[in-house]
Amino acid sequence: MRQAIGSFSLTLAATGAISGAVVLAVGAARHDVRWMRLGRRFVPVVLIGAIGAVAAMQWALNSHDYSLEYVYSNVANATPRLFTITALWGALEGSILLWGLILAIYIAATAHRFRARADDPVVAWATAVQLFVALFFFALMLGPADPFTSHASPITPFDGQGPNALLQNHPLMAFHPPMLYAGYVGFTIPFSFAISALITGRFGEGWLADTRRASLVAWGFLTVGIVLGAWWSYEVLGWGGYWAWDPVENASLLPWLTATAFMHSVMVQERRGMLRVWNLSLVIATFALTILGTFLTRSGVIESVHAFSESDIGVWLLVFLGVIVLGSLVLIGLRGDALRTPGRIDSPLSREAAFLANNLLFAAFALVVLIGTVYPLLAEALRDERVSIGEPYFRAMTAPIGIGLLFLMAVAPVLPWRATSNAVLRDRLLVPAAVGVAVMAVTVAFGARGNAQVAAFGLGAFCLAGIGRNFGVGVQARRRARHEGVVRAAGRMVRGNPRLYGGLVVHVGVVLIGVAIAASSGYTAKREVQLATGESVTISGYTVSYLGSVETVTDQKSTVSARMRVERGGDDLGVYEPSISTFPSATTAIGTPSVRTSWRNDLYLSMSSTEDADGRIGITIAVNPLIVWLWIGGAVMALGTVVCLVPRRREPSLSGAGAGAGVGAVAAAADMAGETRPEDPTVVGAST
Amino acid sequence: MSAGSRSRVVAWALIGIALVVVAVTVVVRSGNETDEQRVARLSRSLACPVCTGESVAASNASEAQVMRRQIREGVAAGRSDAEITDPFVVAYGDDILLEPDAGGLGAIVWALPVLLVAGGGAALAIALRRWSRAPRLVATAADEELVARLRATHDRETS
Amino acid sequence: MSAARRPARTGAIVAAIVLGLFFVLLATQIGGGGGTRSSQLVGGPVPEFDLPILDGGSLASSDLAGTTYLVNFWNEWCIPCRQEHPALVAFQAAHRDDPAVRLIGIVRDERSLAAVREYVAAEGVTWTVLLDPGGDAKVAFGTTGQPETFAIDAGGIVRDYQYGPATSERLEEMLATAGGR
């Protein structure tokens, strides 16, 4: 029954996708309005099919229908309800099912948003491309990754195998994968409009405006997904770190890097009409990298701790990737040169020049991550050599790039478009630079070490001071001109240019994360000790004593917890219980760390072995500085993204007596916002 | 030069001096690595032999625990990095090292990103230089008139 | 039309060639991996070890100079090791009286010493059994599991390696490779 509903829904979605894609493509090619309108009607069909399939799977999971192979492999009777629901994305087939649903939602939302432009070939082509992508994923589910396959034996088992032990250990599992997928899948929308712009030859800046929100939404989800993934690693994997440069992690970082580059370079195109081909390429690359990441991690070509499922869909994904990439390149080859505009950048001290430098660094960052991830594959293919690339390489290569990006983030937002004089720059950067250097001096005086760390602290402070100055000057100007209170002035200022101020909020989040990464990568204190009951160890001011072990057995797992009393400076901070669990389905034991979080540092306790013959447990104790700021930084980035999405409110200009001061204030605010002053003579050149 | 701008110059000079002092202090101090940092760095640079994609630092497998202990012993005994890691390479092969060899094909892994930044940076610098040397577009009388007219309209609408 | 005037087309062609090659390389790796395992040690000197003997005393690699021997990593809870056991018994029976040939077992990832003793007594393990409590030997030999077997010649050079359970014939072949007969 459930199987029938599921399979029927998948067939419905795939049929809707192929019909819609074909009808829309024909309609758009012929400029036939009736066909284009007809084609749009298949979008809800795809959505209904996707919802039906996911609902059937959830029904099957929650009713423990072990006649389905997927349910049998990923759920057991003892699995808690939360992890029964999340089992939908615990393995390959279900993940693709979720992918299909999210994609269908994006397509439907886009179709709704552009309902007034249904007769526009640009929209029709874009929808056709989206449906083509959807077709691929639904075809995967009807072919090699069928989630509704029956269990092999004719007798329905009484109990399932349960989810992978690592996946039923932490509630973050409920949020991390859907966020990540919402990010990945969302880039289908800008990609489809980019392709549509290439096909129709309507290469103004229209497609950018059309997809700005979709790109932002996708980028925001991807950011949150990556941060949650790091958090999950930190809370579950038990080695005290949050990022291991693992292929799966890299696969999520790659599209984020190109998408972030795009977020910046798109402004150059909007403002100056330059970089059209480059922006198209970044959007296409972002989408292609989401597929490449899926291929790398799901085809079994690369081994990873996060790769919970593999199958023979590798060939399908690679062919799809080839079609996407080579098809896009053909279009760029045919159309690209007609797209180009004879733009120029007037001064290296300008916003647009800073964006170019930013793009260069992001491209280099992406190249480092890509090469580091695929090089072992290439070495094996070309020279039959087995090599590994890990943290030392990524650290050495990305630290200078990260420092460079922090520097740009501190300087670029105060640069006006087109050109600036040295005097203006000296004026605006004086205070932030002084703050930055002062912070460096203070951290060094307090014993900070490491070039990259100290540079990150200084540049982080530089950047925050610059952003603070930016807000301060803007609010001050409004208060003077409009006699508003601070809160009201700040609120209205943000509403007047949410994109600018939202972007600055995102930058604050990035600085927090950058500083936390610098601190935790440089100053973690870690000890691995054997402790008998009553023994204690002191590390970075924390005294940790072993009180004894407790064993708990449930249907789901059996767990040995070590009771550890934690004290600092004579204060009892309570008892923490890192544990090791054995799941009936898994051969290896899974450790669950216990973390005491504070603003300054985390005490991270992780059990490596249960009591041996001498009654000693193995325990790893780490003190990781500033970790909590990683998660706060992620939340701030999400907040900034939301601010960017707020519609801009245009205010009426000031009139009457205050007009003189008002013009000054608006000019000052515009100046901070990087706008060109009206009297700037170069404005004339811009329109030419 | 006004008093204000002169004090700015002094302020910038002070910032510059402070930066140099901080940089020198950090560089001088970063020369010596603590034993703990060395152990952490070496365990990050080795792959756990029985895991998939985890370093010795990250893995809780017994092999990784043994290797971490041996690294600690080696560091405590004052052995060099190579003396500590060589036995692992002898036993498990080159792919135990997580850092690609800088020679041969491995060089592209290090060189390609550097070349990209250097080449891209150079291209950008050349383009910017060419642009800044080329004469800017000069506004014609017609342009000036257009701007003046638009500005007049704009002022009328907004006031 | 020269390349300089059509940079987008030129770029697209170059990118298509590079990425096309990349995809072909990726395609060759699908379903790859695995393959037969080998040991890095073959051809080189045997790693030094000095381990306690189950029955008391200790044995060092230096004590074995001039002897041709097999080192077998095993433990009592590993199923493939139990499958391999008859081959080891047969090997020991065939070479028991040859002072120039030895079979040495090293217990890998010991869970319970009592269980090891019980197994040794019950299953007729008459060859030397060494313990590896610190795990140094299993890492020095580059093992990743059990059973794994190494053949070492009289000069202390590792000559052959077997990953997974060996048959009787395979053990004899390993001994022959190490020049033991």
Side-chain angles (χ1 to χ4, degrees):
Chain A
M1 172 69 176
R2 303 167 187 106
Q3 189 178 20
I5 293 175
S7 299
F8 171 75
S9 300
L10 287 179
T11 316
L12 182 72
T15 316
I18 192 168
S19 315
V22 169
V23 170
L24 280 166
V26 170
R30 290 189 186 165
H31 289 268
D32 187 326
V33 173
R34 281 170 310 158
W35 281 64
M36 288 193 269
R37 287 184 187 163
L38 175 64
R40 287 181 76 248
R41 305 201 175 213
F42 288 101
V43 170
V45 175
V46 176
L47 182 62
I48 290 166
I51 292 174
V54 168
M57 181 51 84
Q58 277 300 352
W59 185 16
L61 287 169
N62 283 283
S63 57
H64 300 284
D65 180 358
Y66 298 123
S67 66
L68 290 183
E69 176 63 31
Y70 188 85
V71 178
Y72 170 74
S73 312
N74 291 288
V75 169
N77 291 339
T79 309
R81 176 53 58 100
L82 177 67
F83 299 113
T84 306
I85 294 170
T86 64
L88 175 66
W89 48 86
L92 176 79
E93 292 82 2
S95 302
I96 294 180
L97 199 50
L98 179 67
W99 188 299
L101 174 65
I102 296 174
L103 181 55
I105 293 172
Y106 268 111
I107 296 175
T110 310
H112 180 73
R113 179 145 183 268
F114 290 101
R115 62 195 179 281
R117 279 171 56 191
D119 303 344
D120 185 344
V122 173
V123 175
W125 273 118
T127 315
V129 172
Q130 292 157 19
L131 290 174
F132 172 72
V133 174
L135 171 64
F136 169 74
F137 284 100
F138 287 106
L140 268 187
M141 286 183 272
L142 290 173
D146 182 2
F148 295 101
T149 313
S150 301
H151 181 57
S153 83
I155 304 155
T156 300
F158 292 113
D159 198 357
Q161 297 175 321
N164 180 307
L166 279 175
L167 300 185
Q168 50 175 325
N169 227 3
H170 201 283
L172 272 175
M173 201 51 215
F175 304 103
H176 155 56
M179 289 284 167
L180 207 55
Y181 290 152
Y184 277 164
V185 176
F187 289 115
T188 311
I189 306 300
F191 167 76
S192 67
F193 276 87
I195 295 294
S196 168
L198 280 169
I199 293 175
T200 57
R202 290 222 225 144
F203 10 83
E205 272 59 65
W207 73 274
L208 290 179
D210 292 344
T211 59
R212 202 175 74 75
R213 285 169 162 272
S215 311
L216 256 176
V217 168
W219 184 87
F221 277 125
L222 189 57
T223 305
V224 173
I226 291 172
V227 174
L228 287 181
W231 199 2
W232 176 80
S233 293
Y234 183 72
E235 295 282 344
V236 170
L237 294 184
W239 59 282
Y242 44 84
W243 193 267
W245 297 103
D246 172 276
V248 170
E249 294 167 351
N250 294 349
S252 66
L253 187 60
L254 278 170
W256 186 87
L257 290 169
T258 50
T260 311
F262 172 72
M263 292 288 160
H264 292 94
S265 66
V266 70
M267 288 185 260
V268 179
Q269 184 176 350
E270 287 174 359
R271 190 61 75 114
R272 304 290 310 272
M274 299 170 67
L275 302 183
R276 286 174 168 179
V277 179
W278 173 247
N279 282 327
L280 281 168
S281 311
L282 279 178
V283 166
I284 291 164
T286 301
F287 179 71
L289 284 170
T290 64
I291 305 294
L292 177 71
T294 313
F295 166 76
L296 288 178
T297 52
R298 299 291 182 168
S299 63
V301 294
I302 284 182
E303 294 176 330
S304 153
V305 255
H306 297 265
F308 294 109
S309 43
E310 292 170 359
S311 86
D312 51 357
I313 66 165
V315 181
W316 286 61
L317 284 165
L318 194 58
V319 169
F320 181 61
L321 182 64
V323 169
I324 295 285
V325 170
L326 298 178
S328 304
L329 284 173
V330 167
L331 282 172
I332 291 179
L334 291 175
R335 301 274 198 188
D337 293 295
L339 282 170
R340 289 166 48 82
T341 45
R344 55 175 273 170
I345 284 174
D346 302 305
S347 159
L349 285 179
S350 63
R351 184 75 66 88
E352 51 270 51
F355 280 146
L356 288 186
N358 148 306
N359 269 234
L360 186 61
L361 289 184
F362 271 110
F365 204 137
L367 186 67
V368 165
V369 178
L370 182 65
I371 292 186
T373 311
V374 301
Y375 176 72
L377 278 176
L378 299 185
E380 195 163 358
L382 291 174
R383 301 218 311 199
D384 203 21
E385 240 175 49
R386 291 180 68 90
V387 292
S388 318
I389 293 189
E391 205 185 330
Y393 168 77
F394 290 108
R395 235 185 212 222
M397 295 299 272
T398 58
I401 298 176
I403 297 288
L405 285 170
L406 269 179
F407 175 75
L408 281 179
M409 216 165 71
V411 174
V414 309
L415 289 174
W417 292 90
R418 301 205 133 254
T420 184
S421 70
N422 289 338
V424 169
L425 207 58
R426 278 201 297 267
D427 234 34
R428 291 183 181 174
L429 289 179
L430 179 64
V431 174
V435 171
V437 172
V439 165
M440 278 169 90
V442 169
T443 53
V444 169
F446 276 93
R449 39 193 311 150
N451 308 340
Q453 277 78 16
V454 172
F457 297 153
L459 288 171
F462 186 0
C463 188
L464 288 184
I467 294 168
R469 182 179 180 276
N470 205 335
F471 271 88
V473 168
V475 169
Q476 204 65 32
R478 281 193 72 103
R479 292 190 62 191
R480 233 180 295 132
R482 296 174 191 250
H483 311 291
E484 292 167 341
V486 176
V487 176
R488 192 191 182 97
R492 292 223 166 151
M493 181 179 77
V494 171
R495 282 302 302 268
N497 195 350
R499 199 170 163 194
L500 169 75
Y501 293 106
L504 290 178
V505 172
V506 170
H507 281 189
V508 172
V510 175
V511 168
L512 294 180
I513 289 179
V515 168
I517 290 174
S520 60
S521 65
Y523 313 128
T524 289
K526 191 171 176 183
R527 302 259 312 259
E528 228 176 326
V529 288
Q530 307 278 320
L531 292 179
T533 305
E535 288 182 340
S536 64
V537 60
T538 300
I539 175 171
S540 295
Y542 288 97
T543 302
V544 180
S545 336
Y546 174 50
L547 304 179
S549 289
V550 180
E551 190 165 1
T552 38
V553 181
T554 67
D555 287 349
Q556 188 202 4
K557 58 185 177 184
S558 71
T559 304
V560 177
S561 316
R563 294 173 47 78
M564 314 296 299
R565 176 172 304 287
V566 177
E567 288 157 306
R568 187 172 55 186
D571 295 335
D572 187 352
L573 301 178
V575 173
Y576 289 80
E577 298 193 355
S579 61
I580 291 184
S581 303
T582 6
F583 290 79
S585 59
T587 48
T588 49
I590 305 292
T592 304
S594 178
V595 188
R596 180 183 189 277
T597 299
S598 71
W599 301 115
R600 250 180 66 203
N601 54 33
D602 279 14
L603 177 69
Y604 194 96
L605 302 170
S606 169
M607 200 172 167
S608 47
S609 58
T610 51
E611 286 193 5
D612 61 13
D614 306 328
R616 287 166 182 276
I617 55 158
I619 188 144
T620 304
I621 305 172
V623 177
N624 303 323
L626 300 186
I627 291 287
V628 72
W629 295 98
L630 279 175
W631 327 133
I632 294 174
V636 172
M637 287 176 82
L639 175 74
T641 313
V642 172
V643 172
C644 286
L645 287 166
V646 171
R648 179 174 195 158
R649 191 171 63 187
R650 293 184 190 277
E651 292 178 88
S653 293
L654 293 170
S655 58
V663 170
V666 170
D671 199 35
M672 290 314 299
E675 313 275 344
T676 317
R677 291 178 194 233
E679 53 273 29
D680 187 340
T682 55
V683 167
V684 177
S687 54
T688 327
Chain B
M1 202 181 248
S2 71
S5 74
R6 201 171 302 134
S7 63
R8 292 250 156 80
V9 171
V10 173
W12 275 106
L14 286 176
I15 289 176
I17 292 166
L19 188 62
V20 170
V21 171
V22 166
V24 168
T25 319
V26 171
V27 169
V28 166
R29 199 191 287 170
S30 66
N32 36 26
E33 196 183 24
T34 64
D35 279 4
E36 197 177 354
Q37 285 169 333
R38 231 184 124 206
V39 171
R41 177 172 55 80
L42 287 170
S43 12
R44 276 199 307 269
S45 73
L46 293 165
C48 158
V50 296
C51 317
T52 49
E54 286 181 291
S55 71
V56 165
S59 167
N60 221 357
S62 71
E63 285 75 7
Q65 294 188 28
V66 171
M67 288 169 75
R68 281 202 294 270
R69 177 175 51 71
Q70 292 179 349
I71 292 169
R72 264 200 306 278
E73 288 165 2
V75 167
R79 275 180 233 138
S80 73
D81 286 2
E83 282 169 345
I84 294 171
T85 55
D86 276 352
F88 303 128
V89 176
V90 167
Y92 288 105
D94 282 336
D95 60 326
I96 197 90
L97 294 174
L98 286 174
E99 201 163 354
D101 194 6
L105 194 64
I108 65 163
V109 179
W110 295 99
L112 217 54
V114 176
L115 285 178
L116 174 79
V117 172
L124 213 59
I126 291 169
L128 280 168
R129 206 178 151 84
R130 194 186 298 154
W131 280 325
S132 69
R133 280 191 178 167
R136 287 186 162 196
L137 292 168
V138 181
T140 62
D143 293 332
E144 297 285 10
E145 196 239 350
L146 180 72
V147 172
R149 204 171 58 229
L150 284 174
R151 200 170 280 167
T153 329
H154 179 258
D155 289 349
R156 232 189 352 268
E157 278 170 3
T158 54
S159 55
Chain C
M1 195 60 74
S2 75
R5 295 176 65 183
R6 286 186 161 236
R9 172 162 298 181
T10 317
I13 291 170
V14 172
I17 293 169
V18 171
L19 292 172
L21 284 174
F22 177 55
F23 293 154
V24 169
L25 277 180
L26 285 183
T28 61
Q29 294 301 302
I30 294 178
T36 53
R37 296 211 186 213
S38 57
S39 169
Q40 296 292 320
L41 291 176
V42 175
V46 65
E48 284 178 25
F49 59 87
D50 185 357
L51 299 170
I53 301 174
L54 180 68
D55 303 327
S58 70
L59 182 70
S61 46
S62 51
D63 303 336
L64 292 162
T67 317
T68 303
Y69 58 102
L70 299 188
V71 170
N72 174 249
F73 282 89
W74 70 287
N75 60 46
E76 89 292 348
W77 49 265
C78 125
I79 306 297
C81 302
R82 288 177 181 256
Q83 291 168 356
E84 188 186 39
H85 186 70
L88 293 170
V89 172
F91 181 89
Q92 175 68 358
H95 302 283
R96 177 189 294 260
D97 303 325
D98 185 348
V101 172
R102 276 183 87 169
L103 171 60
I104 292 163
I106 299 183
V107 181
R108 194 180 185 284
D109 285 351
E110 162 205 324
R111 286 182 183 170
S112 150
L113 198 56
V116 172
R117 286 188 199 286
E118 196 179 312
Y119 182 88
V120 164
E123 302 294 330
V125 178
T126 56
W127 55 92
T128 310
V129 173
L130 303 180
L131 301 173
D132 182 24
D136 293 83
K138 71 174 174 182
V139 169
F141 276 86
T143 62
T144 55
Q146 58 276 321
E148 290 185 36
T149 310
F150 298 81
I152 294 109
D153 72 11
I157 303 296
V158 179
R159 289 300 174 192
D160 204 351
Y161 166 75
Q162 167 73 26
Y163 178 82
T167 59
S168 238
E169 296 75 39
R170 176 71 184 123
L171 291 176
E172 292 301 334
E173 181 191 308
M174 290 178 75
L175 182 68
T177 312
R181 181 80 52 79

